[in-house]
Amino acid sequence: MLLNTAIKSLALRQSGGAAARQLSQQVSCRGHCACTPIAPATTLRLALDSPRASVVIPNSKQNAFSTAATTVATDRPAMHKVPSKDPGETSGKEGSTPFVPTPERKYKFFRNVEVTPAGVAVIRFDNPEKKVNTLSFALMREAQTMWESEVHANAAVRSVVFTSAKESGFIAGADIFDISSVEDKSSLVTVIEEALQFFLRMKSKKVPMVAAINGPALGGGLEWALWCDYRICTDSSSTKLGLPEVKLGLLPGFGGTQNLPALVGVQGGMDMMLTGKDIRPAKAKKMGLVDLVVAPQSLESVALSTAEGLANGTIQKSKPKKKSLMNRLIEDTPPGQYLMWDKVKKMVDKNTGGNYPAPYAIVDCVQYGMTHQYGLDKFKHEREEFAKLAATKESEALIGIFDGMNQMKKHSSSADPIKVKKVAVMGAGLMGAGIAQVSAEKGYEVLLKDRDDVSLGRGISLMNDNWEKKHSRGRMTKYQYNLNTSRVTPLSDLTESWKRHFQSADLVIEAVFESLELKRKIIQQVESVTLDHCVFATNTSAIPIADIAAPGDEVKRPENIVGMHYFSPVPSMPLLEIIPHGGTSEEALATAFAVGNKQGKTCVVVKDVPGFYVNRCLGPVLVETCALVKEGVPLENLDKAMKKFGMPVGPITLIDEVGVDVASKVASFLSNADLGKRMGGGDISLMAKMVEKGWLGKKSKQGFFTYTGKKDKSIGSEVKSYLKEFTGGRVSNMSETDVQDRIASRLVNEAAKCLEDGIIENPVDGDIGLVFGIGFAPFKGGPFRYLDAVGITSYVDRMNRFAHELGEQFEPCQLLKDYAASGKKFH
């Protein structure tokens, strides 16, 4: 689809790829730092190990949390309450009815403590009001109460097992909205200190503690387990361990920056904390993060016997994994440490551009701990750094993205979606195969159809290759691999039974090339063999949905037709634009939204206009890039300026990667659409003439840059000659700030115009759409948070200056003028 490669280029580096994978992994609850069943997610990941990714958002996609304080009676003083608004004292988030203890349920966040005859205290996390367990201020207060009254003074307790009563997981992370609701972030230092004192209090009983983990143990959940003496996890596909705080501009605050490197080594710990990636059971065992991996059904019995063995001395407490000679030389000698930290800093600089403070703070905390190994100063330093990060605009922006993802998981509709069991995909190319893959992975029965067996075979191979890579990297079991492949039924025009198969399809998604005639012909085919309830989704990035769904000989059920605009590569990219036309039924819209959510996508509903939302916003950027080239701004300067702004790639590299031909077609298409003067100001013949010369970009080894290898590129003499002719020999030394302002203003103005025209429903959709769609700097929070941060009034003044100097294409839209005049903000 148009600009899908651009989306790949951008989001795979900034908000997608592994970003998109995590950014787009689903989060099932609204306020914890990492419940990722989404890359997604894609879905904010800082990938030091990948030159193509820097930050992603969670696939984390996700329900409201609360932290209502427990009312368990105790003589022991409650933990420190935050001097500003304490989420633990609010009502409505976690249930408006205060918890009342009973003999059957003494605690809100825990099951009643059980002590076995052998003296093992079994403590089960379990908040019945949530699908997953999360750490909150209220839980920590209640944990302190429970420990003192049930465990610490109980001489019969010889060991402890921490586990979960929920099948959904151990602890999914900390309640992020506890943190974001605190106005004076410096007060978090005291709160975290009291949490640390609780963990030290647990250790002071001097009985062995076992963490029995099934499902996610993320963020604060893993930090809790790190305070234990022994860790056991299951081999379930849902089990994953990680410290993903960096994705939200934070660092592990409950001792994680100290306890993790001490257990798995500095390099392993830094890799986990700087990337925020999940660690699966087999790797966790190999690296020493856990001591045992067992089947889920054996977890509790093994944990109990292990706790007994630790208490009676038949089992030894966990020890840090023995380092290899090479790792000892790197981590435990001054020369090795110097080289290690030098490399780490260079990698952080490269992948963050200096725009994200959290990775630097994590490095600082680990370094501080290595030089202050004894005493509690290292933990004090960690919590002080946590509080500083929590007060940064970058963390606020990243948490805003995370919260926005959660808000977008629900779409208000007057109708319920139809129940979809079987999804049919028409077209087995890159897009179709990707749609089929994510559908099968989420449990749908999938029909994948193309015109002939050769085309079909290519699509099946694409899916199988992707699954094989996941399996080889330990991200998918052989059972899952076989299950996924068994869910896909390949069909072609030559398959006599394809019509019979389609009779049971509940949703058909077409992913063929951009031809109105072909798409309507496919609708005619599908309607002739499917039941009346079947929804038809068209994956287009250019053709109006209303034209595709126009009633006529080919289309009899227009109310069932809706647009579903995926971004390529579908398995990695977290965004899905859903486009109803004027006659789309609420049932069809709700169905598309529900299926998109289940596929692991963050769905934004947009109006049926040329370019929809994401591509529409990119149009003026392409035009302004041409204008800056015409003025003689060097190509390298354009790329450098926008990368420094926070974009994953510069505009010149973007055009080369998407394809000069595709970019030219998009610019021409939108110039002839309804954007009017907003597509003016630049000579897009720049790209059209390059296409005539066969300079199609990276795919032809020649675009603005000449490509001689995987990473080697340069500006050749032919291009220099062409640009000299195009610019008339002009060379501009325009400032980096002016380049950034000119390109960014065209982008954010179009986003605001889309909000003004009702193309998007709200600023949250607009922010998420561009962060996940084109990699708009996540640390800025999206175009609308960016405008709030820099000041809408000053930004309008800046655009008016450009409009006076350069032309009406820079005139701010009326919505921006109104907000500037009234002093309003978008968030």
Side-chain angles (χ1 to χ4, degrees):
M1 316 313 300
L2 295 179
L3 282 191
N4 277 339
T5 307
I7 303 311
K8 171 184 177 181
S9 167
L10 287 161
L12 281 184
R13 300 173 192 213
Q14 191 87 10
S15 75
R21 281 197 310 270
Q22 292 188 359
L23 250 165
S24 279
Q25 291 164 345
Q26 276 186 316
V27 176
S28 58
C29 49
R30 185 179 164 218
H32 55 78
C33 62
C35 174
T36 52
I38 204 250
T42 203
T43 78
L44 295 167
R45 159 178 140 134
L46 167 68
L48 291 179
D49 57 346
S50 171
R52 298 202 59 186
S54 58
V55 176
V56 239
I57 280 155
N59 197 217
S60 289
K61 303 167 191 178
Q62 342 63 225
N63 239 355
F65 273 78
S66 106
T67 49
T70 174
T71 58
V72 175
T74 175
D75 294 331
R76 187 173 180 83
M79 291 184 70
H80 171 81
K81 290 184 180 179
V82 184
S84 60
K85 181 181 176 183
D86 181 356
E89 305 304 318
T90 63
S91 62
K93 269 192 176 183
E94 234 173 317
S96 55
T97 304
F99 173 70
V100 178
T102 66
E104 294 76 23
R105 182 86 192 199
K106 296 181 184 179
Y107 307 103
K108 178 166 187 172
F109 301 98
F110 300 88
R111 295 277 181 92
N112 289 355
V113 178
E114 301 173 16
V115 180
T116 71
V120 181
V122 182
I123 300 174
R124 295 183 174 89
F125 299 99
D126 181 31
N127 180 356
E129 294 183 354
K130 292 185 185 178
K131 293 181 179 179
V132 296
N133 296 315
T134 57
L135 294 187
S136 63
F137 296 155
L139 181 145
M140 294 302 294
R141 288 194 289 269
E142 186 178 76
Q144 183 186 45
T145 299
M146 175 206 63
W147 185 265
E148 293 300 324
S149 61
E150 304 269 1
V151 180
H152 202 81
N154 188 346
V157 174
R158 301 184 61 217
S159 58
V160 178
V161 169
F162 291 105
T163 190
S164 171
K166 295 182 181 294
E167 293 183 1
S168 58
F170 185 68
I171 302 174
D175 189 334
I176 286 302
F177 299 109
D178 260 3
I179 298 166
S180 61
S181 66
V182 175
E183 295 175 8
D184 179 8
K185 296 298 192 287
S186 65
S187 65
L188 290 170
V189 173
T190 306
V191 177
I192 297 172
E193 180 181 9
E194 294 197 10
L196 180 73
Q197 291 300 325
F198 166 66
F199 288 124
L200 294 174
R201 178 71 169 169
M202 290 197 313
K203 299 290 284 187
S204 72
K205 183 169 173 65
K206 296 183 178 179
V207 298
M209 296 184 292
V210 177
I213 300 165
N214 181 53
L218 301 170
L222 179 58
E223 289 188 274
W224 191 302
L226 290 173
W227 283 102
C228 295
D229 303 290
Y230 209 89
R231 284 155 295 281
I232 305 170
C233 76
T234 70
D235 59 6
S236 168
S237 60
S238 66
T239 298
K240 50 190 172 184
L241 302 92
L243 295 178
E245 288 84 354
V246 71
K247 300 175 187 178
L248 297 178
L250 300 170
L251 55 72
F254 295 137
T257 65
Q258 308 305 312
N259 294 336
L260 181 63
L263 182 66
V264 303
V266 177
Q267 295 171 86
M270 291 297 294
D271 182 52
M272 284 182 62
M273 290 185 287
L274 290 176
T275 64
K277 65 185 178 184
D278 298 333
I279 303 297
R280 298 293 174 171
K283 184 175 181 181
K285 175 67 169 64
K286 183 177 181 180
M287 68 188 294
L289 185 57
V290 299
D291 300 279
L292 283 176
V293 178
V294 300
Q297 57 269 30
S298 303
L299 179 64
E300 186 158 325
S301 63
V302 172
L304 290 172
S305 62
T306 299
E308 292 176 18
L310 290 167
N312 63 33
T314 58
I315 297 177
Q316 297 299 309
K317 287 186 178 181
S318 174
K319 294 181 180 180
K321 187 175 179 64
K322 187 176 181 180
K323 296 180 183 179
S324 66
L325 174 60
M326 179 61 71
N327 282 343
R328 290 202 303 273
L329 291 172
I330 292 173
E331 298 182 11
D332 300 335
T333 67
Q337 290 175 1
Y338 175 82
L339 292 174
M340 175 179 68
W341 292 122
D342 181 65
K343 182 177 180 181
V344 167
K345 185 176 186 305
K346 287 177 179 177
M347 293 172 72
V348 172
D349 289 342
K350 178 180 179 180
N351 288 298
T352 68
N355 292 317
Y356 296 84
Y360 295 97
I362 290 171
V363 172
D364 175 67
C365 285
V366 176
Q367 287 181 308
Y368 188 93
M370 292 178 71
T371 56
H372 298 75
Q373 295 184 23
Y374 305 104
L376 301 178
D377 280 354
K378 56 188 177 183
F379 297 111
K380 178 176 181 290
H381 184 73
E382 178 191 75
R383 59 180 173 267
E384 289 173 347
E385 290 300 304
F386 182 96
K388 290 177 186 176
L389 289 175
T392 61
K393 64 182 185 300
E394 290 85 3
S395 180
E396 180 183 6
L398 295 176
I399 290 174
I401 293 172
F402 181 82
D403 189 22
M405 290 169 59
N406 294 320
Q407 294 180 38
M408 293 171 67
K409 294 309 296 178
K410 292 184 177 180
H411 179 255
S412 57
S413 176
S414 60
D416 293 328
I418 66 171
K419 189 173 182 179
V420 175
K421 291 184 178 180
K422 184 175 291 186
V423 174
V425 181
M426 302 285 281
L430 182 63
M431 292 295 291
I435 296 168
Q437 177 182 326
V438 298
S439 301
E441 288 176 353
K442 298 303 180 180
Y444 288 116
E445 296 177 51
V446 178
L447 307 176
L448 180 60
K449 181 181 179 295
D450 211 311
R451 61 183 181 273
D452 54 52
D453 292 339
V454 174
S455 302
L456 182 63
R458 284 195 291 264
I460 296 295
S461 294
L462 283 170
M463 285 191 295
N464 289 339
D465 288 347
N466 287 339
W467 285 329
E468 187 57 49
K469 288 178 184 176
K470 286 188 175 185
H471 176 247
S472 65
R473 295 169 182 172
R475 294 176 49 217
M476 178 180 289
T477 66
K478 191 63 176 178
Y479 171 77
Q480 290 173 310
Y481 176 95
N482 292 335
L483 188 61
N484 289 337
T485 56
S486 70
R487 289 179 177 140
V488 180
T489 302
L491 303 166
S492 75
D493 288 345
L494 304 177
T495 308
E496 294 183 3
S497 60
W498 80 264
K499 294 181 180 180
R500 176 173 55 80
H501 283 288
F502 268 63
Q503 287 176 0
S504 56
D506 304 299
L507 171 67
V508 176
I509 305 173
E510 67 81 9
V512 301
F513 62 86
E514 297 285 68
S515 164
L516 176 60
E517 182 181 1
L518 176 60
K519 291 179 185 292
R520 286 179 62 83
K521 180 180 179 181
I522 287 176
I523 294 174
Q524 185 178 38
Q525 285 183 334
V526 168
E527 287 187 339
S528 68
V529 297
T530 55
L531 299 178
D532 288 347
H533 76 276
C534 181
V535 173
F536 185 93
T538 175
N539 177 44
T540 177
S541 60
I543 304 174
I545 309 302
D547 290 352
I548 296 172
D553 293 338
E554 302 98 337
V555 179
K556 303 300 183 185
R557 303 197 294 261
E559 69 279 3
N560 287 5
I561 298 176
V562 63
M564 292 179 75
H565 178 209
Y566 293 84
F567 295 79
S568 183
V570 177
S572 299
M573 296 306 304
L575 189 67
L576 172 63
E577 289 182 318
I578 298 178
I579 313 101
H581 64 91
T584 299
S585 71
E586 285 294 317
E587 289 84 357
L589 177 58
T591 299
F593 199 90
V595 170
N597 276 345
K598 187 172 179 179
Q599 288 173 333
K601 304 303 177 188
T602 296
C603 304
V604 54
V605 177
V606 302
K607 194 174 180 181
D608 185 16
V609 296
F612 308 135
Y613 175 58
V614 173
N615 288 350
R616 192 176 181 91
C617 289
L618 277 174
V621 171
L622 295 173
V623 174
E624 190 59 27
T625 298
C626 293
L628 290 165
V629 172
K630 185 86 170 180
E631 291 175 36
V633 179
L635 304 184
E636 301 96 325
N637 291 11
L638 291 175
D639 272 1
K640 181 180 177 182
M642 295 316 295
K643 285 194 71 175
K644 196 165 183 180
F645 179 81
M647 303 302 284
V649 295
I652 300 301
T653 298
L654 168 64
I655 293 171
D656 266 6
E657 291 201 359
V658 69
V660 180
D661 53 338
V662 175
S664 178
K665 183 183 292 186
V666 169
S668 177
F669 169 74
L670 291 176
S671 294
N672 294 320
D674 60 338
L675 280 76
K677 63 186 180 183
R678 301 193 307 280
M679 281 296 290
D683 184 357
I684 61 174
S685 71
L686 167 70
M687 296 181 289
K689 291 176 181 176
M690 290 175 67
V691 174
E692 292 176 6
K693 294 174 179 289
W695 299 350
L696 305 183
K698 193 172 183 179
K699 60 189 174 185
S700 67
K701 304 296 183 182
Q702 178 63 66
F704 285 103
F705 296 107
T706 301
Y707 298 85
T708 55
K710 282 189 174 181
K711 297 181 180 179
D712 297 329
K713 65 180 183 180
S714 60
I715 302 176
S717 57
E718 285 188 277
V719 173
K720 289 179 180 178
S721 176
Y722 170 64
L723 291 177
K724 185 175 182 180
E725 178 185 346
F726 181 75
T727 62
R730 285 176 290 185
V731 177
S732 171
N733 60 354
M734 186 181 297
S735 71
E736 190 174 75
T737 299
D738 276 352
V739 171
Q740 293 170 343
D741 286 344
R742 283 182 57 173
I743 293 178
S745 65
R746 300 290 296 269
L747 180 65
V748 299
N749 186 58
E750 192 58 41
K753 181 62 176 174
C754 286
L755 180 61
E756 176 183 312
D757 292 345
I759 295 169
I760 52 174
E761 294 181 358
N762 52 61
V764 172
D765 287 2
D767 284 339
I768 298 296
L770 290 191
V771 169
F772 283 4
I774 66 170
F776 187 98
F779 68 90
K780 297 181 187 294
F784 295 100
R785 286 190 182 275
Y786 169 66
L787 285 167
D788 285 348
V790 299
I792 299 174
T793 300
S794 64
Y795 211 80
V796 165
D797 289 343
R798 192 180 311 172
M799 292 191 66
N800 282 330
R801 174 172 63 85
F802 282 144
H804 176 72
E805 296 174 356
L806 301 168
E808 61 182 359
Q809 68 270 19
F810 284 98
E811 182 182 350
C813 68
Q814 189 60 46
L815 183 66
L816 287 182
K817 294 177 182 177
D818 292 344
Y819 271 56
S822 65
K824 289 175 63 178
K825 289 188 172 184
F826 289 107
H827 292 282

